[in-house]
Amino acid sequence: MPVGPQQNYVVGLQVPSVGEKDYPMVFKNGNLKLGGEREVVPRPKKWPIANILAPGANNIPDAFIVGGPYEEEEGELNHPEDKEFRNQAECIKKRIVWDLESRCYLDPSAVASFQKRIADCRLWPVEITRVPLVAVPKGKPGKLEKTDEETQFSFHGVAYVNMVPLLYPGVKRIRGAFHVHPYLDSTVFEKTKCLFSLFRDTGHHLAHNNKAGGLNSPLSKPVSKNLKEEKAVKDKEIEGRARPGDLQAPSIKSQSSDTPLEGETPLSHNLEGQQYLEAGTYIVLEIQLDKALVPKRMPEELARRVKEMIPPRPPLTRRTGGAQKAVSDYHTQIKSISRAILDEYQRMFGKQVIKVGSDVDSETLEEQKCQLNYELNCSGKYFAFKEQLKHAVVKIVREKYLKTTAFESQEELQTFISELYVFLVDQMHVALNQSMPDDMQGTASTIHTSSEQLRLFAFEAEVNENFEMAAVYYEERLVREPQNLDHWLDYGAFCLLTEDITKAQECFRKALSLNESHIHSLLLCGVLAILLENYEQAEIFFEDATCLEPSSVIAWTLLGLLYEIQNNDIRMEMAFHEAFKQLQARTLQTKQKSAGAVENTEEGVKMEHSFGPWGAVHDSATAMKSEGLTGIKLRSSHVLNPHLPAELQPQPQGPSTVLSSLDEFIEESSKAHSGSQEPIMTLQPLEPSLAQKSSNVLLKELTAKKETSKCQDSSAFLRSTPYAIPQPPATIFMETIRFLMKVNAVQFVHRVLAHELLCPQGGPSCEYYLVLAQTHLLKKDFAKTEEYLQQAAQMDYLNPNVWGVKGHLYFLSGDHAEAKACYERTISFVVDASEMHFIFLRLGHIYLEEKEYEKAKRTYMQACKRSPSCLTWLGLGIACYRLEELTEAEDALSEANALNNYNAEVWAYLALVCLKVGRQLEAEQAYKYTIKLKLKDEALLTEIHTVQEMVGFGDPSF
């Protein structure tokens, strides 16, 4: 109330001190502000001492209140929905401002007590009350009227400050806004284990000094010895925030009289304090330590520990000298001399060769050879060539044969010269073949597969449970690029799938040795350490990951899960809080970028977007040093008494419309053109004796159709895209689940799923049940998989992944009719499922089984265009063969053979095609490889024998 008797607004709390009695820290003389304007920042902090007359002496030198964004606070009103309320409260509404900072010391025993009380009680009580000022009658200085004894404490409230963040490693400061609650003895004791109010101890003394014109601090007299001897270390500030120093936890016991103050409102029914709840009152405090209660490991130490566990293995540099270099130099000289001799031959016989052409008889060649030798000897070029070659031969003798001393006998010399001559002639032929390859020699052209293709082939083998072939593909990638850490991570994930944890750990550690700063390698090494129950190493890996990338949600979440396994609740809470904070920051940034993109689209202008008051603003705290002591600061900020707004409107979220690429639309539209002529592609098989063709018509037509469809149908496609159902934002646990599922760490997924189920932002969702279904599908638990898929479909009926996994379930359980229906529904969605490759493969397989060859052909063509592999081309080849389109079938099968010439089924259908078109030699060769690779399909083998009998050839054994 701005009118009426003057009031003194007081905030207090207790902190540990030397001895049994706690040290009371009281902030008085709060200023009532009527509102209308925001407090200026930065503004100076003030000493908690009244009646300092020197100008500016109240201000603490070089100490300012700088504020900060709400979302970075540790208090209770740091959510986006609180922003509007706090803006009104701190600008428009009435409020009380202290801007005080109080400092104290904590010796080692007080620090230990402080930590124990925080761990036991978590919440720390900060009390607030109002005391009426008493005027001193004139002429009677130093004497109080009788009314002094009747001074009442009114509006007694308490804020429960969560001090647990001070037990997080490396944390020295907490700042935030905390709700004020009515002070009730029972509630305070239940939450903080405090038996008595702070004002019961200091109340009489406080009332005695509560004179108009200034309130002398009751704390100025009992100053501790430490405070006198060591002057400037820690402070506790009351600013509209608060910086605590070494506070003692809420188990603060009052050490004085149990008798309540005269006239004090009974605490069992605090009606005045109840108004705090109705008004939404809160107090802003900041607590700051000079030294963290729990030291944090430095990034350098973590990097050193990681190096100790996994020493870096840089690639060995190749030596430029040695035997290999000597042979290489010899090849270079041979090529140089051969070019010189060819130039000389061209000069002497070039015109003659042009006239005769390639029809030169042996006698003419011998005569030209004699003339060339004569010319080289006469001109001295022969001896020049010998001198040019001599140095390279000497290097080979020294580097390869290690001969640097004289020979002991003539026989030994002759033996060595003979051996050396043979080697030099062989290497000469090697060099000549490299520089002048024999164009007449027919070599089969090969298609070199890329690492991405090998990864796809390995994934196909995984899904088909052909783990031996998958391992071959993964190892091929490692042989090609042993320094590529992604290849090692993929192979390690495959080993996790096959439950070879030891080999998976070797792969992940090899990847980490190639790049010690690679976050995913660190995380996977940590996950493997947990699976092997080596928790100390896991903690080092995860902590190093959080230091290298503090914004990694997955790293913080995994660290929290590790602390949960170790039953370290406080650190677990810290890690999950940090993960949630980083996820919120990223979500906010994404929303702002999306909003900016929408504005740019509508207005046609390019604009820059800033975070405004929600940007990352970091307070700079002055570091203060003290030998052997830990300091603590407390700042108690404005206490606000605004009325809550009628309704807090949540921020609307824009539609997250998802558009698939035009290629998917073209694939779907190809169904409507089934009557058109299908494109053709002819490629030769890897076997050189088979007919070699180079027609690329199939790919050309696919590309042409794609480009034409893009031009004709893109606008219609964009208009017809339905509004995507907005999904709830992912939680920190769901993000971690996605990461673990991607690397096949299924053993760890169920623990994270339990957290997702209990998470306030999570709970049962479509994705939750979908992940559960996938984990049970890997175990072949079809009943549980179907149960979870039913629940996922109920929550999101239009999710293509649900129908895709349903199709896999029915396909693996043998119900191909249901699988076909699910797959067809999946590919009919505009938005693709995550595993379209296998959906196309299995749907095409079902069409072949049911003899729907046209549908099978269209399905396999889409698969070939999206992600071609041996299996997609094989399926297309089979469909074309059954449709009697033998040319197209041969082209597709040749492409399949080029990608994998160890597939017996490909050779079998190539044999059938060659039998049908009447090519006996090629049919026999294809059949030979079919038998050699042990075709398992007996029905297909019988069909080959039937066709062989019908045409009368194809089996060389008869």
Side-chain angles (χ1 to χ4, degrees), residues 786-802:
E786 186 171 11
E787 175 187 342
Y788 292 130
L789 284 174
Q790 292 293 347
Q791 297 188 49
Q794 288 176 4
M795 302 192 79
D796 188 357
Y797 197 76
L798 300 178
N799 191 325
N801 284 321
V802 174

PDB file of all heavy atoms in Angstrom, residues 786-802:
ATOM      1  N   GLU A 786       2.610 -57.265 -32.732  1.00  0.00           N
ATOM      2  CA  GLU A 786       1.280 -56.915 -33.241  1.00  0.00           C
ATOM      3  C   GLU A 786       0.496 -56.090 -32.220  1.00  0.00           C
ATOM      4  O   GLU A 786      -0.193 -55.122 -32.588  1.00  0.00           O
ATOM      5  CB  GLU A 786       0.517 -58.188 -33.593  1.00  0.00           C
ATOM      6  CG  GLU A 786      -0.817 -57.911 -34.276  1.00  0.00           C
ATOM      7  CD  GLU A 786      -1.457 -59.169 -34.816  1.00  0.00           C
ATOM      8  OE1 GLU A 786      -0.985 -60.277 -34.477  1.00  0.00           O
ATOM      9  OE2 GLU A 786      -2.420 -59.057 -35.584  1.00  0.00           O
ATOM     10  N   GLU A 787       0.638 -56.429 -30.951  1.00  0.00           N
ATOM     11  CA  GLU A 787      -0.074 -55.683 -29.907  1.00  0.00           C
ATOM     12  C   GLU A 787       0.358 -54.215 -29.885  1.00  0.00           C
ATOM     13  O   GLU A 787      -0.475 -53.300 -29.850  1.00  0.00           O
ATOM     14  CB  GLU A 787       0.206 -56.334 -28.542  1.00  0.00           C
ATOM     15  CG  GLU A 787      -0.389 -55.576 -27.366  1.00  0.00           C
ATOM     16  CD  GLU A 787       0.051 -56.166 -26.042  1.00  0.00           C
ATOM     17  OE1 GLU A 787       0.524 -57.340 -26.020  1.00  0.00           O
ATOM     18  OE2 GLU A 787      -0.059 -55.453 -25.017  1.00  0.00           O
ATOM     19  N   TYR A 788       1.663 -53.977 -29.924  1.00  0.00           N
ATOM     20  CA  TYR A 788       2.162 -52.597 -29.881  1.00  0.00           C
ATOM     21  C   TYR A 788       1.837 -51.846 -31.170  1.00  0.00           C
ATOM     22  O   TYR A 788       1.576 -50.637 -31.138  1.00  0.00           O
ATOM     23  CB  TYR A 788       3.661 -52.595 -29.624  1.00  0.00           C
ATOM     24  CG  TYR A 788       4.024 -53.070 -28.225  1.00  0.00           C
ATOM     25  CD1 TYR A 788       4.997 -54.050 -28.037  1.00  0.00           C
ATOM     26  CD2 TYR A 788       3.391 -52.540 -27.112  1.00  0.00           C
ATOM     27  CE1 TYR A 788       5.331 -54.484 -26.769  1.00  0.00           C
ATOM     28  CE2 TYR A 788       3.713 -52.977 -25.837  1.00  0.00           C
ATOM     29  CZ  TYR A 788       4.683 -53.949 -25.668  1.00  0.00           C
ATOM     30  OH  TYR A 788       5.002 -54.392 -24.404  1.00  0.00           O
ATOM     31  N   LEU A 789       1.837 -52.556 -32.298  1.00  0.00           N
ATOM     32  CA  LEU A 789       1.493 -51.891 -33.555  1.00  0.00           C
ATOM     33  C   LEU A 789       0.029 -51.479 -33.576  1.00  0.00           C
ATOM     34  O   LEU A 789      -0.318 -50.431 -34.155  1.00  0.00           O
ATOM     35  CB  LEU A 789       1.811 -52.819 -34.734  1.00  0.00           C
ATOM     36  CG  LEU A 789       3.293 -52.950 -35.098  1.00  0.00           C
ATOM     37  CD1 LEU A 789       3.484 -53.998 -36.186  1.00  0.00           C
ATOM     38  CD2 LEU A 789       3.858 -51.616 -35.553  1.00  0.00           C
ATOM     39  N   GLN A 790      -0.816 -52.267 -32.964  1.00  0.00           N
ATOM     40  CA  GLN A 790      -2.228 -51.887 -32.891  1.00  0.00           C
ATOM     41  C   GLN A 790      -2.392 -50.588 -32.088  1.00  0.00           C
ATOM     42  O   GLN A 790      -3.155 -49.688 -32.468  1.00  0.00           O
ATOM     43  CB  GLN A 790      -3.046 -53.012 -32.245  1.00  0.00           C
ATOM     44  CG  GLN A 790      -3.140 -54.283 -33.080  1.00  0.00           C
ATOM     45  CD  GLN A 790      -3.940 -54.085 -34.363  1.00  0.00           C
ATOM     46  OE1 GLN A 790      -4.619 -53.082 -34.540  1.00  0.00           O
ATOM     47  NE2 GLN A 790      -3.828 -55.025 -35.288  1.00  0.00           N
ATOM     48  N   GLN A 791      -1.658 -50.479 -30.992  1.00  0.00           N
ATOM     49  CA  GLN A 791      -1.747 -49.258 -30.181  1.00  0.00           C
ATOM     50  C   GLN A 791      -1.155 -48.071 -30.921  1.00  0.00           C
ATOM     51  O   GLN A 791      -1.673 -46.954 -30.841  1.00  0.00           O
ATOM     52  CB  GLN A 791      -1.034 -49.484 -28.853  1.00  0.00           C
ATOM     53  CG  GLN A 791      -1.667 -50.583 -28.008  1.00  0.00           C
ATOM     54  CD  GLN A 791      -1.078 -50.654 -26.615  1.00  0.00           C
ATOM     55  OE1 GLN A 791      -0.958 -49.647 -25.940  1.00  0.00           O
ATOM     56  NE2 GLN A 791      -0.701 -51.852 -26.186  1.00  0.00           N
ATOM     57  N   ALA A 792      -0.073 -48.305 -31.665  1.00  0.00           N
ATOM     58  CA  ALA A 792       0.514 -47.208 -32.443  1.00  0.00           C
ATOM     59  C   ALA A 792      -0.447 -46.739 -33.522  1.00  0.00           C
ATOM     60  O   ALA A 792      -0.591 -45.532 -33.767  1.00  0.00           O
ATOM     61  CB  ALA A 792       1.834 -47.675 -33.071  1.00  0.00           C
ATOM     62  N   ALA A 793      -1.125 -47.672 -34.180  1.00  0.00           N
ATOM     63  CA  ALA A 793      -2.074 -47.307 -35.233  1.00  0.00           C
ATOM     64  C   ALA A 793      -3.271 -46.542 -34.663  1.00  0.00           C
ATOM     65  O   ALA A 793      -3.804 -45.637 -35.311  1.00  0.00           O
ATOM     66  CB  ALA A 793      -2.550 -48.566 -35.960  1.00  0.00           C
ATOM     67  N   GLN A 794      -3.691 -46.882 -33.450  1.00  0.00           N
ATOM     68  CA  GLN A 794      -4.795 -46.148 -32.831  1.00  0.00           C
ATOM     69  C   GLN A 794      -4.415 -44.698 -32.559  1.00  0.00           C
ATOM     70  O   GLN A 794      -5.245 -43.793 -32.643  1.00  0.00           O
ATOM     71  CB  GLN A 794      -5.202 -46.833 -31.527  1.00  0.00           C
ATOM     72  CG  GLN A 794      -5.921 -48.164 -31.736  1.00  0.00           C
ATOM     73  CD  GLN A 794      -6.232 -48.853 -30.425  1.00  0.00           C
ATOM     74  OE1 GLN A 794      -5.983 -48.300 -29.360  1.00  0.00           O
ATOM     75  NE2 GLN A 794      -6.764 -50.072 -30.504  1.00  0.00           N
ATOM     76  N   MET A 795      -3.132 -44.461 -32.257  1.00  0.00           N
ATOM     77  CA  MET A 795      -2.694 -43.099 -31.924  1.00  0.00           C
ATOM     78  C   MET A 795      -2.399 -42.284 -33.188  1.00  0.00           C
ATOM     79  O   MET A 795      -2.548 -41.061 -33.174  1.00  0.00           O
ATOM     80  CB  MET A 795      -1.458 -43.153 -31.026  1.00  0.00           C
ATOM     81  CG  MET A 795      -1.683 -43.930 -29.749  1.00  0.00           C
ATOM     82  SD  MET A 795      -0.374 -43.711 -28.539  1.00  0.00           S
ATOM     83  CE  MET A 795      -0.788 -42.131 -27.862  1.00  0.00           C
ATOM     84  N   ASP A 796      -1.952 -42.933 -34.249  1.00  0.00           N
ATOM     85  CA  ASP A 796      -1.660 -42.210 -35.494  1.00  0.00           C
ATOM     86  C   ASP A 796      -1.920 -43.152 -36.662  1.00  0.00           C
ATOM     87  O   ASP A 796      -1.033 -43.865 -37.122  1.00  0.00           O
ATOM     88  CB  ASP A 796      -0.211 -41.714 -35.506  1.00  0.00           C
ATOM     89  CG  ASP A 796       0.064 -40.800 -36.690  1.00  0.00           C
ATOM     90  OD1 ASP A 796      -0.850 -40.615 -37.514  1.00  0.00           O
ATOM     91  OD2 ASP A 796       1.186 -40.277 -36.801  1.00  0.00           O
ATOM     92  N   TYR A 797      -3.135 -43.133 -37.125  1.00  0.00           N
ATOM     93  CA  TYR A 797      -3.556 -44.074 -38.171  1.00  0.00           C
ATOM     94  C   TYR A 797      -2.894 -43.770 -39.505  1.00  0.00           C
ATOM     95  O   TYR A 797      -2.799 -44.643 -40.379  1.00  0.00           O
ATOM     96  CB  TYR A 797      -5.079 -44.015 -38.311  1.00  0.00           C
ATOM     97  CG  TYR A 797      -5.674 -45.192 -39.044  1.00  0.00           C
ATOM     98  CD1 TYR A 797      -5.795 -46.427 -38.410  1.00  0.00           C
ATOM     99  CD2 TYR A 797      -6.117 -45.080 -40.360  1.00  0.00           C
ATOM    100  CE1 TYR A 797      -6.343 -47.520 -39.060  1.00  0.00           C
ATOM    101  CE2 TYR A 797      -6.661 -46.163 -41.019  1.00  0.00           C
ATOM    102  CZ  TYR A 797      -6.774 -47.386 -40.375  1.00  0.00           C
ATOM    103  OH  TYR A 797      -7.302 -48.453 -41.040  1.00  0.00           O
ATOM    104  N   LEU A 798      -2.426 -42.540 -39.694  1.00  0.00           N
ATOM    105  CA  LEU A 798      -1.862 -42.139 -40.984  1.00  0.00           C
ATOM    106  C   LEU A 798      -0.342 -42.168 -40.996  1.00  0.00           C
ATOM    107  O   LEU A 798       0.271 -41.610 -41.900  1.00  0.00           O
ATOM    108  CB  LEU A 798      -2.349 -40.723 -41.341  1.00  0.00           C
ATOM    109  CG  LEU A 798      -3.863 -40.561 -41.472  1.00  0.00           C
ATOM    110  CD1 LEU A 798      -4.209 -39.111 -41.767  1.00  0.00           C
ATOM    111  CD2 LEU A 798      -4.410 -41.474 -42.562  1.00  0.00           C
ATOM    112  N   ASN A 799       0.266 -42.801 -40.019  1.00  0.00           N
ATOM    113  CA  ASN A 799       1.727 -42.877 -39.972  1.00  0.00           C
ATOM    114  C   ASN A 799       2.207 -43.989 -40.894  1.00  0.00           C
ATOM    115  O   ASN A 799       1.920 -45.166 -40.663  1.00  0.00           O
ATOM    116  CB  ASN A 799       2.176 -43.148 -38.534  1.00  0.00           C
ATOM    117  CG  ASN A 799       3.664 -42.980 -38.359  1.00  0.00           C
ATOM    118  OD1 ASN A 799       4.453 -43.288 -39.246  1.00  0.00           O
ATOM    119  ND2 ASN A 799       4.067 -42.488 -37.204  1.00  0.00           N
ATOM    120  N   PRO A 800       2.949 -43.675 -41.964  1.00  0.00           N
ATOM    121  CA  PRO A 800       3.372 -44.731 -42.899  1.00  0.00           C
ATOM    122  C   PRO A 800       4.312 -45.743 -42.260  1.00  0.00           C
ATOM    123  O   PRO A 800       4.347 -46.905 -42.673  1.00  0.00           O
ATOM    124  CB  PRO A 800       4.061 -43.946 -44.021  1.00  0.00           C
ATOM    125  CG  PRO A 800       4.430 -42.638 -43.430  1.00  0.00           C
ATOM    126  CD  PRO A 800       3.409 -42.329 -42.382  1.00  0.00           C
ATOM    127  N   ASN A 801       5.087 -45.323 -41.245  1.00  0.00           N
ATOM    128  CA  ASN A 801       6.006 -46.268 -40.604  1.00  0.00           C
ATOM    129  C   ASN A 801       5.255 -47.374 -39.882  1.00  0.00           C
ATOM    130  O   ASN A 801       5.724 -48.512 -39.820  1.00  0.00           O
ATOM    131  CB  ASN A 801       6.911 -45.521 -39.618  1.00  0.00           C
ATOM    132  CG  ASN A 801       7.992 -44.733 -40.304  1.00  0.00           C
ATOM    133  OD1 ASN A 801       8.561 -45.185 -41.296  1.00  0.00           O
ATOM    134  ND2 ASN A 801       8.262 -43.537 -39.815  1.00  0.00           N
ATOM    135  N   VAL A 802       4.099 -47.039 -39.324  1.00  0.00           N
ATOM    136  CA  VAL A 802       3.299 -48.066 -38.639  1.00  0.00           C
ATOM    137  C   VAL A 802       2.878 -49.141 -39.625  1.00  0.00           C
ATOM    138  O   VAL A 802       3.021 -50.343 -39.362  1.00  0.00           O
ATOM    139  CB  VAL A 802       2.072 -47.420 -37.967  1.00  0.00           C
ATOM    140  CG1 VAL A 802       1.160 -48.490 -37.390  1.00  0.00           C
ATOM    141  CG2 VAL A 802       2.505 -46.445 -36.883  1.00  0.00           C
TER     142      VAL A 802
END
